[in-house]
Amino acid sequence: MRKGPFIVICAFLLLCLIGTVSGEVRYVLEKAVSICLDCIGIG
């Protein structure tokens, strides 16, 4: 059995968990909304 894909998936899940716990999701969504509003000329 190959270990490479398993290690990559574990690293991905760990980084996702760290980002979620540290509040990155809120920061990314706030930036996305402000960029979208700027693009259409509202913000």
Side-chain angles (χ1 to χ4, degrees):
M1 186 164 98
R2 296 183 310 173
K3 293 181 183 178
F6 179 72
I7 293 171
V8 171
I9 290 172
C10 286
F12 169 75
L13 292 174
L14 178 65
L15 291 173
C16 283
L17 181 63
I18 291 170
T20 302
V21 169
S22 68
E24 285 292 317
V25 175
R26 178 178 295 159
Y27 176 73
V28 169
L29 289 177
E30 287 173 1
K31 289 299 242 182
V33 168
S34 76
I35 289 171
C36 287
L37 292 178
D38 287 342
C39 286
I40 61 174
I42 293 177

